[in-house]
Amino acid sequence: YARNEKYKVPEDFISEIETKDSITESQLKSYAKEYKLSGEFLQLFFKNHFVFKIGSTYEYIPIDKSLKKNNYNMNNLIDVGRGEKEYIKNGESQAAKGIDVSRYQGNINWSQVKRDGVEFAFIRLGYRGYTKGEIFLDEKFYKNLKGAQAAGIKVGVYFYSQAVSVKEAREEARFVLDALEGYHLDYPIVFDIEAAPASNARTKNVSAKTATDMAIAFCDTVENAGYDSMIYSYLYYFVHNMELSRLESYDKWVANYYDIPFFPYKFQILQYTGSGRVNGISGDVDMNLAFTTY
C-alpha cells in the first residue's frame, strides 16, 4: 500500500518501516503525525476504527460493534477506466451501475447513457437554500425524469436538505411527494443530508440528534405515501453528525471516495467518485454501485 502512488506516502516513512516485520497501532499513530500520513492510507490498517484527518489532527473513532455490518469485500472493486469501478465477485459483476445527476450536468442524452450500461439514476428533485431556507425545484428535474425513464433507466430521486427541524424535514418530504404526483419510481426517494459549504449555513449548529430526527421524519413521510426511502450522506457526516444506532432500519447511500472504500455498517448504495465519465453527459458525473435490487 505504501508504494501505491494514490496514497502519497513519503519515502522517509517507507524507509523507516521497510525493515520492520510489524508495527503496533500506537506506533502507526505516532508515524502518522510525524510523516503527515493521509487518513485514507491509515484507514487501511485500522479496521476497528474510523480514521479522519482534519488539518494536522487525527481522529480515531471506534466502530460500534452493536450495529449490523455489511458483508461486502471492497477489495473486489475493480477499476475499469474513465473513473468507473465494478464490484467483481466469482468473475461476475455483482452490483448495478448507476449515476446521480442534477441541473449541473446540463442537457443529458439519456439514450447514450443507457447504451453506456447505466442501469439506474438518482435525479435531484429539489433543494433547500442554505442561507434563507427557501425550497426550489431543480430546473432540469422533469426533463431528466422523463428522459431517463423513456430510455429504460430505473429512476430514484433525491432532495438536498438544509432543514433545521423535523417540521422542515416533513415540509421537504411533502414538497417531493407533490412534485412526484402521477409519476412512478423504481428506486427510493432519498433524503440528502450533508454540511453546506459555507460558514453562514443555517444548518451549521444542527445536532446529531436533530439531524437523525429529521432523516427519520423525512423517510417515514415518504414511506407512508407508498415510496421506498433512503438516507444519503458522506462518511464523515454519517459518523460524526448522525446517530446511526437509530437508523438501522433505513436504507443508506454512502459517499466514500477512497480507493478501497470503508463503511463497515449495513448500506445499500455506494457513491465512489464524483468525477466519473458516461456517454451522453458532458463533464464529470457521480458514479454509484447498488448492492441490492429495488
Side-chain angles (χ1 to χ4, degrees):
Y1 289 129
R3 293 291 185 190
N4 188 327
E5 292 182 1
K6 293 179 181 178
Y7 300 119
K8 297 177 177 155
V9 175
E11 283 294 330
D12 288 350
F13 170 69
I14 296 175
S15 299
E16 177 78 29
I17 64 167
E18 62 184 352
T19 60
K20 301 180 185 297
D21 293 327
S22 64
I23 59 175
T24 65
E25 285 190 351
S26 61
Q27 286 175 318
L28 185 52
K29 288 179 180 180
S30 178
Y31 285 137
K33 291 181 179 180
E34 181 179 355
Y35 295 102
K36 300 179 175 59
L37 304 178
S38 71
E40 179 179 1
F41 176 72
L42 293 170
Q43 189 67 80
L44 297 168
F45 309 101
F46 288 87
K47 298 305 181 185
N48 294 317
H49 291 76
F50 292 102
V51 183
F52 298 109
K53 183 182 181 184
I54 311 299
S56 59
T57 302
Y58 294 88
E59 292 183 77
Y60 299 88
I61 300 175
I63 301 299
D64 187 338
K65 294 181 180 179
S66 71
L67 299 185
K68 295 176 183 176
K69 307 302 188 293
N70 68 68
N71 60 358
Y72 314 137
N73 180 355
M74 288 304 166
N75 288 301
N76 291 334
L77 276 184
I78 307 300
D79 289 305
V80 294
R82 299 188 305 167
E84 182 181 343
K85 294 186 178 185
E86 291 184 10
Y87 186 79
I88 305 296
K89 188 176 179 181
N90 299 324
E92 296 183 359
S93 177
Q94 300 288 323
K97 175 181 177 178
I99 59 175
D100 58 274
V101 301
S102 69
R103 67 182 179 88
Y104 296 110
Q105 273 65 51
N107 293 317
I108 297 173
N109 186 321
W110 285 103
S111 295
Q112 289 185 16
V113 171
K114 172 68 173 177
R115 287 195 294 272
D116 202 4
V118 171
E119 299 173 65
F120 70 93
F122 279 109
I123 297 168
R124 187 174 75 162
L125 184 148
Y127 58 98
R128 187 189 289 274
Y130 56 78
T131 54
K132 296 181 180 179
E134 296 175 277
I135 290 178
F136 301 93
L137 184 77
D138 188 295
E139 64 190 52
K140 296 284 187 182
F141 171 64
Y142 286 114
K143 183 175 183 179
N144 281 332
L145 176 66
K146 293 173 183 177
Q149 290 184 330
I153 295 171
K154 294 181 178 179
V155 169
V157 304
Y158 71 96
F159 185 92
Y160 176 76
S161 175
Q162 284 293 293
V164 295
S165 67
V166 165
K167 180 181 178 181
E168 287 193 350
R170 290 198 181 107
E171 179 189 18
E172 293 173 351
R174 287 192 293 270
F175 178 86
V176 170
L177 294 172
D178 288 344
L180 284 173
E181 190 167 349
Y183 290 93
H184 166 78
L185 296 180
D186 304 288
Y187 273 60
I189 294 174
V190 181
F191 184 66
D192 174 357
I193 182 167
E194 47 191 292
S199 60
N200 62 338
R202 63 201 303 271
T203 53
K204 185 176 180 180
N205 296 314
V206 168
S207 68
K209 180 184 183 302
T210 298
T212 306
D213 288 343
M214 293 191 302
I216 291 171
F218 182 100
C219 289
D220 286 355
T221 301
V222 302
E223 290 275 352
N224 290 337
Y227 290 93
D228 292 324
S229 70
M230 174 175 273
I231 303 164
Y232 166 92
S233 200
Y234 48 93
L235 182 66
Y236 186 85
Y237 196 95
F238 265 129
V239 174
H240 259 271
N241 298 83
M242 305 203 83
E243 297 176 347
L244 288 171
S245 61
R246 297 171 57 208
L247 298 174
E248 286 217 272
S249 62
Y250 297 90
D251 282 8
K252 296 173 191 69
W253 173 15
V254 180
N256 184 230
Y257 294 177
Y258 290 173
D259 190 50
I260 302 177
F262 184 79
F263 190 79
Y265 307 132
K266 287 198 74 172
F267 70 96
Q268 288 68 37
I269 297 179
L270 172 70
Q271 183 187 89
Y272 60 85
T273 184
S275 55
R277 290 299 177 111
V278 170
N279 293 340
I281 297 177
S282 299
D284 294 341
V285 65
D286 296 340
M287 302 294 296
N288 303 276
L289 290 169
F291 295 92
T292 191
T293 301
Y294 288 95

